[in-house]
Amino acid sequence: MSVQERKQRERAERERLIVATARELAEEQGWDAVTTRRLAERIEYSQPVLYSHFRGKREIIGAVALQGAAELAAELRGASAEAEAEAGASASVEGARGRVTALARAYLDFAERNPAVYDAMFQLDGGLAFAAEDTPEVLKDGFAALLETLRDVAGEGVEPGLFTEVFWASLHGLATLTRAGRLPVGDAERRVGLLVSRLAVV
């Protein structure tokens, strides 16, 4: 391994550590607790070293958001594939409903388990463009993970991308309102069932 390759690997490892530490601190104490000073203390790097990787907290939030988007996409695809396997690759109504239900549950479970990451993705300014030409590929792939399952239940004459946006907005609303205590937690499963039965055309 060349000196240049070793330096690049060390730099990538430092960036991973900074992002992982920021994420851990945010999940423990909220994003207000994530400062370059506290990060530097936790990982035992100087603040100038942190600034050599990220220009500030906004870029760190963006890095956490990208990491979260990749994880969410993987979980959505995994849940849909598992539901499809359980249905025996059936094209039946129940098979399609099962895939969409599994997708919705996986999304809401991710948001509940990772509140700080979810905030980085959808509530905070991480400097990332959404629904634009310069949207990072990992964010586009996150949307694609929803679209892959939802395109089959959009209904005749409905543009699948638009349907996916509406379904995603519904999931986001459920996730944020439940977390804020605006919706009773005990009815979560009934809400998923209602969302799938009313929006998904199967």
Side-chain angles (χ1 to χ4, degrees):
M1 177 183 297
S2 71
V3 172
Q4 182 66 21
E5 288 172 332
R6 180 174 54 78
K7 286 183 177 179
Q8 288 175 346
R9 187 175 69 178
E10 289 171 354
R11 180 174 178 79
E13 287 172 359
R14 281 195 304 270
E15 285 187 4
R16 279 193 293 274
L17 179 59
I18 293 166
V19 171
T21 304
R23 180 174 174 167
E24 179 182 287
L25 187 56
E27 292 293 4
E28 288 173 3
Q29 301 176 33
W31 278 104
D32 286 344
V34 180
T35 64
T36 53
R37 182 185 60 78
R38 293 191 72 185
L39 284 174
E41 288 172 358
R42 275 210 178 192
I43 60 180
E44 299 179 346
Y45 289 152
S46 67
Q47 289 189 51
V49 169
L50 264 71
Y51 282 117
S52 74
H53 290 275
F54 299 99
R55 285 178 290 185
K57 182 174 176 177
R58 182 178 187 229
E59 283 193 359
I60 293 171
I61 289 170
V64 170
L66 292 175
Q67 189 179 75
E71 292 171 8
L72 177 58
E75 290 191 24
L76 294 176
R77 287 188 172 109
S80 184
E82 187 176 327
E84 185 172 8
E86 287 176 6
S90 169
S92 70
V93 168
E94 289 309 311
R97 184 168 285 133
R99 288 190 300 279
V100 176
T101 300
L103 180 88
R105 285 180 183 145
Y107 185 99
L108 296 172
D109 287 348
F110 179 89
E112 183 180 3
R113 285 193 330 272
N114 305 282
V117 174
Y118 194 81
D119 283 349
M121 293 166 67
F122 300 120
Q123 306 284 58
L124 303 175
D125 179 11
L128 304 174
F130 283 79
E133 284 188 21
D134 60 341
T135 297
E137 288 303 315
V138 69
L139 296 181
K140 292 178 182 178
D141 188 58
F143 184 79
L146 290 166
L147 179 62
E148 287 160 13
T149 294
L150 295 173
R151 70 167 32 111
D152 296 332
V153 297
E156 189 175 341
V158 177
E159 201 276 305
L162 190 62
F163 175 79
T164 300
E165 290 172 355
V166 171
F167 200 93
W168 172 27
S170 299
L171 290 174
H172 177 69
L174 290 175
T176 55
L177 290 171
T178 301
R179 182 170 151 207
R182 302 299 193 266
L183 298 175
V185 177
D187 291 330
E189 192 61 29
R190 290 175 58 206
R191 287 188 200 99
V192 168
L194 187 61
L195 179 64
V196 172
S197 66
R198 291 295 184 262
L199 283 187
V201 178
V202 292

